[in-house]
Amino acid sequence: MTKPTMKVLVTGAAGQICYSLIGMIASGQMLGFDQPIILHLLEVPVAMDALKGVCMEITDSAYPLVKKVVATSDYQEAFTDIDVCIMVGAMPRKDGMERKDLLEKNASIFKGQGEALEKYSKKSVKVLVVGNPANTNCLIAKTYAPSIPAENFSALTRLDHNRAKAQVADRLGVNVSDVHNVTIWGNHSSTQYPDVSHGYVTINGEKKSITEAVNDDAWLKGDFISTVQKRGAAVIAARKLSSATSAAKAIVDHVHDWVLGTPEGEWVSMAIPSDGSYGIPEGVIYSFPVTCKDGVVTIVQGLKIDDFSRNKMEVTDKELREEKQLALN
Ligand code: NAD
Ligand code: LMR
Protein backbone atom coordinates (compact mmCIF):
# COMPACT_ATOMS: atom_id res chain seq x y z
CA MET A 1 0.00 0.00 0.00
CA THR A 2 1.31 3.49 -0.81
CA LYS A 3 2.09 5.65 2.24
CA PRO A 4 0.31 9.02 2.58
CA THR A 5 2.38 11.82 1.02
CA MET A 6 4.49 13.93 3.40
CA LYS A 7 5.12 17.64 2.85
CA VAL A 8 8.73 18.67 3.43
CA LEU A 9 9.72 22.34 3.57
CA VAL A 10 13.34 23.29 2.95
CA THR A 11 14.30 26.95 3.43
CA GLY A 12 17.30 28.52 1.71
CA ALA A 13 16.63 26.11 -1.13
CA ALA A 14 18.87 27.83 -3.69
CA GLY A 15 21.87 27.87 -1.34
CA GLN A 16 24.87 25.60 -1.27
CA ILE A 17 23.77 23.12 1.44
CA CYS A 18 20.44 22.62 -0.30
CA TYR A 19 22.14 21.93 -3.60
CA SER A 20 23.44 18.72 -1.97
CA LEU A 21 20.42 18.16 0.26
CA ILE A 22 17.44 18.29 -2.09
CA GLY A 23 18.54 15.34 -4.23
CA MET A 24 19.06 13.18 -1.14
CA ILE A 25 15.57 14.01 0.14
CA ALA A 26 13.98 13.52 -3.27
CA SER A 27 15.60 10.12 -3.77
CA GLY A 28 14.19 8.80 -0.47
CA GLN A 29 17.36 8.72 1.63
CA MET A 30 15.81 10.89 4.36
CA LEU A 31 12.27 9.60 4.85
CA GLY A 32 12.46 6.17 3.23
CA PHE A 33 12.49 4.78 -0.26
CA ASP A 34 8.74 4.11 -0.07
CA GLN A 35 7.74 7.59 1.16
CA PRO A 36 6.10 9.89 -1.43
CA ILE A 37 6.79 13.57 -0.80
CA ILE A 38 5.73 17.06 -1.83
CA LEU A 39 8.70 19.42 -1.70
CA HIS A 40 8.14 22.99 -0.53
CA LEU A 41 11.17 25.13 -1.37
CA LEU A 42 11.44 28.59 0.20
CA GLU A 43 13.79 31.35 -0.94
CA VAL A 44 14.07 35.12 -0.72
CA PRO A 45 12.67 36.96 -3.79
CA VAL A 46 16.12 37.78 -5.26
CA ALA A 47 17.04 34.09 -5.33
CA MET A 48 13.88 32.91 -7.12
CA ASP A 49 15.61 32.73 -10.51
CA ALA A 50 18.32 30.48 -9.12
CA LEU A 51 15.61 28.39 -7.44
CA LYS A 52 13.92 27.96 -10.84
CA GLY A 53 17.11 26.31 -12.04
CA VAL A 54 17.10 23.98 -9.02
CA CYS A 55 13.50 23.04 -9.84
CA MET A 56 14.44 22.28 -13.46
CA GLU A 57 17.10 19.91 -12.14
CA ILE A 58 14.62 18.19 -9.81
CA THR A 59 12.35 17.64 -12.83
CA ASP A 60 15.26 16.38 -14.93
CA SER A 61 16.29 13.92 -12.22
CA ALA A 62 12.89 12.16 -12.58
CA TYR A 63 12.50 11.18 -8.93
CA PRO A 64 9.54 8.77 -8.62
CA LEU A 65 8.86 9.77 -4.97
CA VAL A 66 8.42 13.49 -5.73
CA LYS A 67 4.73 14.17 -6.34
CA LYS A 68 4.96 17.94 -6.57
CA VAL A 69 7.38 20.83 -6.05
CA VAL A 70 6.23 24.18 -4.66
CA ALA A 71 8.90 26.87 -5.13
CA THR A 72 7.99 30.08 -3.39
CA SER A 73 9.07 33.15 -1.46
CA ASP A 74 5.68 33.38 0.26
CA TYR A 75 5.60 32.20 3.88
CA GLN A 76 1.95 31.12 3.80
CA GLU A 77 2.47 28.94 0.74
CA ALA A 78 5.72 27.53 2.13
CA PHE A 79 4.62 26.71 5.70
CA THR A 80 1.03 25.50 5.16
CA ASP A 81 0.38 21.93 6.33
CA ILE A 82 4.00 20.82 6.32
CA ASP A 83 5.10 17.64 8.13
CA VAL A 84 8.84 18.37 8.22
CA CYS A 85 10.52 21.78 8.26
CA ILE A 86 14.24 22.05 7.57
CA MET A 87 15.42 25.60 8.22
CA VAL A 88 18.65 26.11 6.32
CA GLY A 89 18.03 29.61 4.93
CA ALA A 90 20.37 32.02 6.73
CA MET A 91 23.67 33.75 6.20
CA PRO A 92 26.75 31.50 6.65
CA ARG A 93 29.86 32.70 8.53
CA LYS A 94 33.10 33.68 6.85
CA ASP A 95 36.71 33.03 7.83
CA GLY A 96 37.52 34.48 11.27
CA MET A 97 33.91 34.67 12.52
CA GLU A 98 32.29 32.66 15.33
CA ARG A 99 28.83 31.28 14.55
CA LYS A 100 27.24 33.51 17.19
CA ASP A 101 28.47 36.56 15.24
CA LEU A 102 25.62 35.71 12.83
CA LEU A 103 22.94 36.22 15.44
CA GLU A 104 22.34 39.85 14.58
CA LYS A 105 21.85 39.03 10.88
CA ASN A 106 19.94 35.76 11.23
CA ALA A 107 17.77 36.06 14.36
CA SER A 108 15.00 37.99 12.61
CA ILE A 109 14.65 35.24 9.98
CA PHE A 110 13.85 32.72 12.71
CA LYS A 111 11.40 35.05 14.43
CA GLY A 112 9.44 35.49 11.18
CA GLN A 113 9.60 31.81 10.31
CA GLY A 114 8.61 30.82 13.87
CA GLU A 115 5.52 32.99 13.45
CA ALA A 116 4.81 31.31 10.10
CA LEU A 117 5.08 27.86 11.72
CA GLU A 118 2.61 29.00 14.37
CA LYS A 119 0.17 30.38 11.81
CA TYR A 120 0.24 27.87 8.99
CA SER A 121 1.89 24.55 9.91
CA LYS A 122 0.52 21.32 11.36
CA LYS A 123 0.99 21.13 15.14
CA SER A 124 2.78 17.83 14.55
CA VAL A 125 5.45 19.40 12.28
CA LYS A 126 9.00 18.29 13.06
CA VAL A 127 11.38 21.26 12.89
CA LEU A 128 15.14 21.08 12.33
CA VAL A 129 17.12 24.33 12.47
CA VAL A 130 20.42 24.36 10.56
CA GLY A 131 21.08 28.09 9.96
CA ASN A 132 23.63 29.39 12.45
CA PRO A 133 23.81 29.94 15.35
CA ALA A 134 21.55 26.88 15.07
CA ASN A 135 20.70 26.24 18.74
CA THR A 136 19.73 29.83 19.48
CA ASN A 137 17.90 30.29 16.17
CA CYS A 138 15.91 27.17 17.08
CA LEU A 139 15.08 28.72 20.46
CA ILE A 140 13.86 31.85 18.66
CA ALA A 141 11.66 29.88 16.22
CA LYS A 142 10.22 27.83 19.11
CA THR A 143 9.48 30.99 21.11
CA TYR A 144 7.41 32.41 18.23
CA ALA A 145 5.52 29.15 17.65
CA PRO A 146 4.13 28.55 21.16
CA SER A 147 1.31 26.23 20.06
CA ILE A 148 3.71 23.73 18.52
CA PRO A 149 4.96 21.29 21.17
CA ALA A 150 8.51 22.01 22.39
CA GLU A 151 9.57 18.44 21.58
CA ASN A 152 8.98 19.15 17.86
CA PHE A 153 11.97 21.53 17.77
CA SER A 154 15.59 20.55 17.21
CA ALA A 155 18.87 21.99 15.96
CA LEU A 156 21.60 20.22 14.04
CA THR A 157 24.58 18.80 15.94
CA ARG A 158 24.61 15.60 13.90
CA LEU A 159 27.39 17.02 11.75
CA ASP A 160 29.56 17.31 14.88
CA HIS A 161 28.48 13.79 15.91
CA ASN A 162 29.51 12.42 12.51
CA ARG A 163 32.79 14.34 12.69
CA ALA A 164 33.55 12.82 16.10
CA LYS A 165 32.85 9.30 14.84
CA ALA A 166 35.02 9.89 11.77
CA GLN A 167 37.96 11.17 13.86
CA VAL A 168 37.86 8.09 16.10
CA ALA A 169 37.49 5.72 13.13
CA ASP A 170 40.43 7.36 11.41
CA ARG A 171 42.59 7.16 14.54
CA LEU A 172 41.84 3.44 15.01
CA GLY A 173 41.85 2.48 11.33
CA VAL A 174 38.29 1.11 11.55
CA ASN A 175 35.14 1.88 9.58
CA VAL A 176 32.86 4.67 10.88
CA SER A 177 30.09 2.09 11.22
CA ASP A 178 32.19 0.35 13.89
CA VAL A 179 32.16 3.47 16.11
CA HIS A 180 29.14 3.76 18.41
CA ASN A 181 27.57 6.07 20.98
CA VAL A 182 29.72 9.17 20.87
CA THR A 183 27.97 12.25 22.24
CA ILE A 184 27.97 15.94 21.38
CA TRP A 185 26.91 17.98 24.40
CA GLY A 186 25.70 21.58 24.20
CA ASN A 187 26.05 24.17 21.51
CA HIS A 188 26.91 23.77 17.80
CA SER A 189 29.88 26.08 18.36
CA SER A 190 33.50 25.93 19.38
CA THR A 191 32.42 25.31 23.02
CA GLN A 192 30.60 22.07 22.16
CA TYR A 193 31.83 19.03 24.08
CA PRO A 194 32.46 15.93 21.93
CA ASP A 195 32.51 13.09 24.48
CA VAL A 196 33.58 9.52 23.73
CA SER A 197 33.74 8.32 27.33
CA HIS A 198 30.59 6.18 26.94
CA GLY A 199 31.24 5.07 23.38
CA TYR A 200 32.57 1.79 22.03
CA VAL A 201 34.11 0.34 18.88
CA THR A 202 33.87 -3.08 17.34
CA ILE A 203 37.25 -4.43 16.30
CA ASN A 204 37.33 -7.91 14.75
CA GLY A 205 33.87 -8.56 16.15
CA GLU A 206 34.95 -7.61 19.68
CA LYS A 207 33.40 -4.68 21.59
CA LYS A 208 35.87 -2.32 23.28
CA SER A 209 35.38 1.07 24.90
CA ILE A 210 36.74 3.91 22.75
CA THR A 211 38.89 5.07 25.67
CA GLU A 212 40.52 1.63 25.92
CA ALA A 213 40.88 1.14 22.16
CA VAL A 214 42.46 4.56 21.57
CA ASN A 215 44.60 4.28 24.71
CA ASP A 216 45.72 7.90 24.50
CA ASP A 217 43.96 10.11 27.03
CA ALA A 218 45.96 13.16 26.04
CA TRP A 219 44.63 12.91 22.47
CA LEU A 220 41.06 12.18 23.54
CA LYS A 221 41.01 15.11 25.97
CA GLY A 222 43.03 17.42 23.72
CA ASP A 223 43.39 17.32 19.93
CA PHE A 224 40.34 15.11 19.39
CA ILE A 225 38.03 17.59 21.12
CA SER A 226 39.52 20.70 19.53
CA THR A 227 39.53 19.14 16.03
CA VAL A 228 35.79 18.45 16.24
CA GLN A 229 35.08 21.83 17.87
CA LYS A 230 36.93 23.71 15.14
CA ARG A 231 36.16 21.52 12.12
CA GLY A 232 33.63 23.96 10.66
CA ALA A 233 36.23 26.75 10.75
CA ALA A 234 38.84 24.45 9.18
CA VAL A 235 36.50 23.72 6.26
CA ILE A 236 35.84 27.44 5.80
CA ALA A 237 39.57 28.20 5.84
CA ALA A 238 40.16 25.57 3.13
CA ARG A 239 37.09 26.11 0.93
CA LYS A 240 36.39 29.79 1.63
CA LEU A 241 32.83 28.52 2.00
CA SER A 242 31.24 26.70 4.89
CA SER A 243 30.63 22.96 4.83
CA ALA A 244 27.79 21.94 2.58
CA THR A 245 27.79 18.31 1.48
CA SER A 246 28.64 17.03 4.99
CA ALA A 247 25.95 19.32 6.43
CA ALA A 248 23.40 17.92 3.94
CA LYS A 249 24.34 14.34 4.90
CA ALA A 250 23.98 15.22 8.61
CA ILE A 251 20.53 16.75 8.00
CA VAL A 252 19.42 13.57 6.24
CA ASP A 253 20.79 11.41 9.10
CA HIS A 254 19.08 13.60 11.75
CA VAL A 255 15.61 13.60 10.17
CA HIS A 256 15.89 9.95 9.08
CA ASP A 257 16.57 8.78 12.64
CA TRP A 258 13.97 11.11 14.15
CA VAL A 259 11.19 9.83 11.88
CA LEU A 260 12.26 6.24 11.28
CA GLY A 261 14.05 5.52 14.60
CA THR A 262 17.57 4.89 15.88
CA PRO A 263 18.92 1.33 15.75
CA GLU A 264 18.49 -0.74 18.95
CA GLY A 265 21.24 0.07 21.46
CA GLU A 266 22.49 3.05 19.46
CA TRP A 267 22.22 6.75 20.29
CA VAL A 268 22.78 9.91 18.26
CA SER A 269 23.22 13.59 19.18
CA MET A 270 20.39 16.10 18.74
CA ALA A 271 20.10 19.64 20.09
CA ILE A 272 16.67 19.79 21.75
CA PRO A 273 14.96 21.84 24.48
CA SER A 274 16.75 21.12 27.77
CA ASP A 275 14.51 19.49 30.38
CA GLY A 276 16.83 19.42 33.40
CA SER A 277 18.56 16.17 32.36
CA TYR A 278 22.22 16.03 33.38
CA GLY A 279 21.75 19.21 35.41
CA ILE A 280 21.19 21.39 32.33
CA PRO A 281 18.27 23.64 33.35
CA GLU A 282 15.36 24.34 31.01
CA GLY A 283 15.53 27.37 28.70
CA VAL A 284 18.10 26.49 26.03
CA ILE A 285 18.40 24.16 23.04
CA TYR A 286 21.18 21.83 24.18
CA SER A 287 22.66 18.82 22.41
CA PHE A 288 22.16 15.52 24.25
CA PRO A 289 22.60 11.83 23.50
CA VAL A 290 19.16 10.64 22.35
CA THR A 291 17.30 7.66 20.99
CA CYS A 292 14.27 7.97 18.69
CA LYS A 293 11.30 5.65 18.34
CA ASP A 294 7.97 6.25 16.57
CA GLY A 295 8.93 9.91 16.07
CA VAL A 296 9.58 10.48 19.78
CA VAL A 297 13.00 11.66 21.00
CA THR A 298 14.23 10.42 24.40
CA ILE A 299 17.34 11.66 26.17
CA VAL A 300 19.60 8.76 27.18
CA GLN A 301 19.62 8.80 30.99
CA GLY A 302 22.03 7.60 33.63
CA LEU A 303 25.38 8.20 31.93
CA LYS A 304 28.14 8.79 34.47
CA ILE A 305 29.54 12.33 34.20
CA ASP A 306 33.02 12.90 35.64
CA ASP A 307 34.49 16.28 36.65
CA PHE A 308 36.22 16.78 33.28
CA SER A 309 32.93 16.29 31.41
CA ARG A 310 30.89 18.31 33.90
CA ASN A 311 33.16 21.29 33.44
CA LYS A 312 32.94 21.14 29.63
CA MET A 313 29.15 20.68 29.72
CA GLU A 314 28.80 23.77 31.87
CA VAL A 315 31.02 25.93 29.63
CA THR A 316 28.86 25.24 26.57
CA ASP A 317 25.64 25.70 28.59
CA LYS A 318 26.91 29.09 29.77
CA GLU A 319 27.58 30.16 26.18
CA LEU A 320 24.05 29.14 25.13
CA ARG A 321 22.56 31.26 27.92
CA GLU A 322 24.70 34.21 26.83
CA GLU A 323 23.54 33.76 23.21
CA LYS A 324 19.94 33.63 24.45
CA GLN A 325 20.43 36.90 26.33
CA LEU A 326 21.93 38.47 23.21
CA ALA A 327 18.98 37.22 21.12
CA LEU A 328 16.46 38.61 23.62
CA ASN A 329 18.16 41.99 23.46
P1 NAD B 1 24.12 29.87 1.43
O1 NAD B 1 24.39 31.31 1.57
O2 NAD B 1 24.77 29.12 0.32
O3 NAD B 1 22.56 29.62 1.31
C1 NAD B 1 21.64 30.23 2.16
C2 NAD B 1 20.39 30.50 1.37
O4 NAD B 1 19.41 30.97 2.28
C3 NAD B 1 20.57 31.57 0.31
O5 NAD B 1 20.18 31.05 -0.96
C4 NAD B 1 19.67 32.71 0.76
O6 NAD B 1 19.06 33.39 -0.31
C5 NAD B 1 18.65 31.93 1.58
N1 NAD B 1 17.92 32.76 2.56
C6 NAD B 1 18.36 33.83 3.25
N2 NAD B 1 17.36 34.33 4.00
C7 NAD B 1 16.29 33.55 3.79
C8 NAD B 1 14.96 33.55 4.29
N3 NAD B 1 14.53 34.49 5.12
N4 NAD B 1 14.11 32.60 3.85
C9 NAD B 1 14.52 31.66 2.98
N5 NAD B 1 15.76 31.61 2.46
C10 NAD B 1 16.64 32.53 2.87
O7 NAD B 1 24.45 29.20 2.86
P2 NAD B 1 24.66 27.66 3.21
O8 NAD B 1 26.09 27.31 3.06
O9 NAD B 1 23.63 26.84 2.52
O10 NAD B 1 24.39 27.70 4.78
C11 NAD B 1 23.14 28.03 5.31
C12 NAD B 1 23.20 28.13 6.84
O11 NAD B 1 23.51 26.87 7.43
C13 NAD B 1 24.30 29.09 7.35
O12 NAD B 1 23.78 29.83 8.45
C14 NAD B 1 25.38 28.15 7.82
O13 NAD B 1 26.21 28.75 8.79
C15 NAD B 1 24.55 27.03 8.41
N6 NAD B 1 25.21 25.73 8.60
C16 NAD B 1 24.90 25.03 9.73
C17 NAD B 1 25.46 23.79 9.94
C18 NAD B 1 25.13 23.01 11.17
O14 NAD B 1 25.73 21.94 11.36
N7 NAD B 1 24.22 23.42 12.03
C19 NAD B 1 26.34 23.25 8.99
C20 NAD B 1 26.63 24.00 7.85
C21 NAD B 1 26.07 25.26 7.66
C1 LMR C 1 29.88 23.77 10.27
O1 LMR C 1 29.96 23.28 11.39
O2 LMR C 1 30.59 23.38 9.32
C2 LMR C 1 28.87 24.86 10.01
O3 LMR C 1 28.22 25.23 11.18
C3 LMR C 1 29.44 26.04 9.28
C4 LMR C 1 30.33 26.86 10.17
O4 LMR C 1 30.14 28.07 10.22
O5 LMR C 1 31.21 26.28 10.83
Side-chain angles (χ1 to χ4, degrees):
M1 219 172 65
T2 315
K3 285 182 168 176
T5 302
M6 286 176 80
K7 285 189 183 168
V8 179
L9 167 62
V10 181
T11 74
Q16 54 145 6
I17 292 178
C18 291
Y19 197 70
S20 287
L21 175 65
I22 290 169
M24 293 193 210
I25 299 175
S27 65
Q29 288 180 58
M30 188 175 83
L31 291 171
F33 295 102
D34 57 350
Q35 177 59 63
I37 53 171
I38 293 178
L39 272 175
H40 284 204
L41 305 178
L42 179 72
E43 256 302 345
V44 291
V46 289
M48 287 311 285
D49 272 347
L51 187 57
K52 255 188 220 152
V54 172
C55 291
M56 285 182 218
E57 290 207 63
I58 296 171
T59 304
D60 298 348
S61 301
Y63 295 112
L65 291 172
V66 177
K67 300 301 165 196
K68 190 175 162 191
V69 179
V70 178
T72 183
S73 58
D74 177 74
Y75 278 13
Q76 180 168 358
E77 199 176 11
F79 283 87
T80 295
D81 286 341
I82 49 169
D83 299 288
V84 176
C85 176
I86 304 173
M87 294 176 150
V88 182
M91 183 177 275
R93 68 171 163 155
K94 303 275 182 322
D95 216 357
M97 291 169 83
E98 284 295 328
R99 296 182 187 97
K100 63 184 163 204
D101 298 336
L102 295 167
L103 202 49
E104 204 178 319
K105 293 253 171 354
N106 289 340
S108 62
I109 297 176
F110 293 88
K111 173 176 183 284
Q113 294 185 356
E115 288 166 345
L117 278 167
E118 176 73 8
K119 227 166 150 183
Y120 306 121
S121 302
K122 287 182 183 167
K123 300 303 168 204
S124 57
V125 62
K126 285 182 163 50
V127 181
L128 167 60
V129 176
V130 179
N132 278 320
N135 302 51
T136 299
N137 287 337
C138 179
L139 186 70
I140 296 169
K142 173 182 162 294
T143 305
Y144 286 93
S147 73
I148 294 176
E151 60 265 28
N152 295 17
F153 287 86
S154 66
L156 190 72
T157 50
R158 185 60 175 267
L159 177 53
D160 312 293
H161 181 97
N162 288 348
R163 286 167 173 163
K165 279 178 72 166
Q167 288 300 316
V168 171
D170 188 50
R171 177 82 178 190
L172 293 173
V174 300
N175 191 276
V176 276
S177 61
D178 295 325
V179 181
H180 304 272
N181 296 355
V182 304
T183 304
I184 304 297
W185 299 96
N187 199 2
H188 173 64
S189 77
S190 52
T191 66
Q192 68 178 265
Y193 171 40
D195 173 16
V196 296
S197 61
H198 310 100
Y200 70 92
V201 280
T202 343
I203 301 176
N204 301 326
E206 214 186 298
K207 234 166 127 170
K208 246 189 182 175
S209 79
I210 294 176
T211 316
E212 197 191 340
V214 170
N215 194 24
D216 185 346
D217 235 34
W219 182 75
L220 283 176
K221 291 188 165 162
D223 282 357
F224 163 72
I225 292 177
S226 60
T227 300
V228 178
Q229 286 175 328
K230 294 180 193 150
R231 188 66 160 188
V235 171
I236 292 171
R239 249 168 57 84
K240 310 295 171 227
L241 284 171
S242 67
S243 57
T245 193
S246 55
K249 163 67 165 53
I251 292 166
V252 167
D253 289 346
H254 176 116
V255 178
H256 176 276
D257 290 351
W258 192 357
V259 174
L260 298 172
T262 42
E264 199 55 43
E266 186 90 14
W267 71 66
V268 294
S269 304
M270 282 172 76
I272 55 174
S274 55
D275 66 353
S277 294
Y278 295 100
I280 306 299
E282 288 183 17
V284 290
I285 306 291
Y286 192 96
S287 181
F288 290 99
V290 302
T291 56
C292 308
K293 196 173 181 200
D294 300 327
V296 176
V297 178
T298 307
I299 298 175
V300 175
Q301 297 295 338
L303 299 178
K304 207 166 159 276
I305 306 295
D306 62 16
D307 289 347
F308 179 84
S309 294
R310 170 60 55 203
N311 175 268
K312 296 235 171 286
M313 287 162 68
E314 281 172 5
V315 167
T316 189
D317 180 45
K318 182 166 174 281
E319 181 186 49
L320 278 168
R321 285 169 209 277
E322 285 164 5
E323 278 184 25
K324 177 182 177 178
Q325 214 43 52
L326 213 65
L328 291 177
N329 291 341

